[in-house]
Amino acid sequence: VILPKSIPFKGQVLNQIAAYFLNSTRDIVPNWLVSNPDPNAAFGLKCNPIPIEMVIRGYVAGHLAREYKSGKREICGVQLPEGLKENQKLPEPIITPTTKASEGHDEDISINEIIKQGIVSKELMTELCDITHKLYQRGQEMANERGLILVDTKYEFGIFDGKIMLMDEIHTPDSSRYFYSKSYQELLENNLPQKQLSKEFVREWLIQHNFQGKDGQTMPNLPDEFVNEISERYILLFEEITGKPFERLPQENLNQRIYQNILNFLSNVK
């Protein structure tokens, strides 16, 4: 869903984190990003999208935790053992794909069903799974260096010039969940919520206010205090994951600045 209020600096945070990780994973798989003509903008290659999202999970958190608590022991064709607790590390990362809906919600789907329906060939699916595991491992390594745990994330791929290409953003709080390494084990053992950096707290706030994006539900009004909290959390994640200070650029005439920087960039593109 689209929130009723814009979140200050969110676009800049997402764009800059995505660029940071896209430039750090080019040795694993090529990606769409060509340049960032503005802190809020990216210029890249237009791919033919593969209509699935490759979700990979290393912990029982978020959607997986909710499904497990409801009694499900098979998620997207993956069998889960009994006795898992929320936020516990899985024996090994699992891929739980979703369909890529043009509108509405994405839906869980198994790898076998993707192949059976002819959405993706078996050969291509095998390659996507391999790349997904490698990207997740790289993301975990980079997070660990910063005292964080990359809990789960998703990747989108497309085809460009006949080859697989990583699309969209990666490892940002819009697609990923991070825990703090230092407090993880103690909080887990005491069955306490993990200190985390992700947009899960926005989902939780909406759920508490009786909104899950279902038919007949009305989006609650977001108080200014909560909007500012969202903004500060996004900025915090940028600084935590990159180790760089975030530059809070002026928000006045934002569209004009972006537009002008893109025009300047395009005038030099041959």
Side-chain angles (χ1 to χ4, degrees):
V1 298
I2 298 174
L3 296 179
K5 292 183 180 179
S6 61
I7 310 300
F9 302 108
K10 181 171 180 270
Q12 183 185 342
V13 165
L14 295 178
N15 196 46
Q16 292 186 318
I17 292 179
Y20 174 75
F21 281 109
L22 287 168
N23 290 324
S24 300
T25 55
R26 292 184 187 275
D27 60 314
I28 297 174
V29 60
N31 63 62
W32 67 279
L33 182 64
V34 173
S35 179
N36 290 103
D38 183 90
N40 282 66
F43 178 85
L45 303 171
K46 184 177 181 179
C47 307
N48 182 26
I50 298 170
I52 55 172
E53 290 191 357
M54 296 295 287
V55 181
I56 184 165
R57 305 175 185 277
Y59 296 75
V60 185
H63 174 66
L64 179 59
R66 290 188 287 271
E67 294 287 276
Y68 194 84
K69 279 183 179 179
S70 74
K72 292 185 180 180
R73 295 296 180 265
E74 181 181 321
I75 310 295
C76 299
V78 179
Q79 293 291 333
L80 297 172
E82 293 290 340
L84 295 177
K85 60 193 295 187
E86 186 168 4
N87 299 327
Q88 182 177 343
K89 186 175 183 179
L90 292 165
E92 59 184 26
I94 62 172
I95 294 177
T96 59
T98 67
T99 57
K100 185 60 182 170
S102 57
E103 59 182 48
H105 295 284
D106 300 334
E107 299 290 340
D108 289 345
I109 189 171
S110 70
I111 290 173
N112 286 340
E113 192 62 28
I114 289 171
I115 296 168
K116 182 180 176 181
Q117 292 184 22
I119 299 172
V120 171
S121 70
K122 184 176 181 180
E123 294 73 21
L124 180 56
M125 196 68 208
T126 298
E127 195 168 355
L128 291 177
C129 287
D130 180 60
I131 294 169
T132 295
H133 278 289
K134 288 177 179 176
L135 288 171
Y136 182 55
Q137 182 178 350
R138 176 67 56 81
Q140 286 182 309
E141 291 167 356
M142 294 178 73
N144 290 344
E145 290 173 0
R146 302 296 312 159
L148 298 170
I149 296 170
L150 178 57
V151 177
D152 50 42
T153 189
K154 64 93 178 171
Y155 305 108
E156 297 186 39
F157 298 95
I159 302 296
F160 182 83
D161 211 12
K163 297 180 181 179
I164 295 175
M165 186 164 283
L166 179 61
M167 292 171 33
D168 201 30
E169 48 83 6
I170 65 167
H171 299 166
T172 79
D174 266 21
S175 64
S176 311
R177 191 187 328 270
Y178 292 89
F179 291 161
Y180 284 90
S181 304
K182 188 175 180 180
S183 57
Y184 170 74
Q185 194 61 37
E186 181 181 353
L187 292 172
L188 180 70
E189 291 173 358
N190 289 285
N191 299 313
L192 295 172
Q194 290 292 326
K195 183 182 180 184
Q196 63 174 291
L197 288 167
S198 74
K199 68 175 182 181
E200 183 67 19
F201 77 99
V202 180
R203 290 194 191 99
E204 291 172 351
W205 187 92
L206 291 171
I207 290 171
Q208 290 169 7
H209 289 77
N210 304 313
F211 183 81
Q212 290 180 274
K214 296 180 180 178
D215 290 342
Q217 294 183 333
T218 303
M219 168 70 75
N221 180 54
L222 271 62
D224 290 341
E225 297 80 11
F226 185 58
V227 169
N228 290 333
E229 182 185 352
I230 298 173
S231 180
E232 291 301 321
R233 288 222 200 177
Y234 272 77
I235 290 169
L236 177 62
L237 177 57
F238 173 88
E239 295 182 334
E240 295 276 54
I241 196 62
T242 66
K244 303 174 183 178
F246 182 77
E247 184 180 358
R248 296 173 186 247
L249 296 174
Q251 298 298 286
E252 297 77 25
N253 302 317
L254 184 62
N255 289 344
Q256 183 179 347
R257 185 203 76 204
I258 296 170
Y259 182 69
Q260 189 58 53
N261 283 338
I262 291 174
L263 283 182
N264 294 341
F265 171 77
L266 291 176
S267 67
N268 294 314
V269 173
K270 296 180 180 179

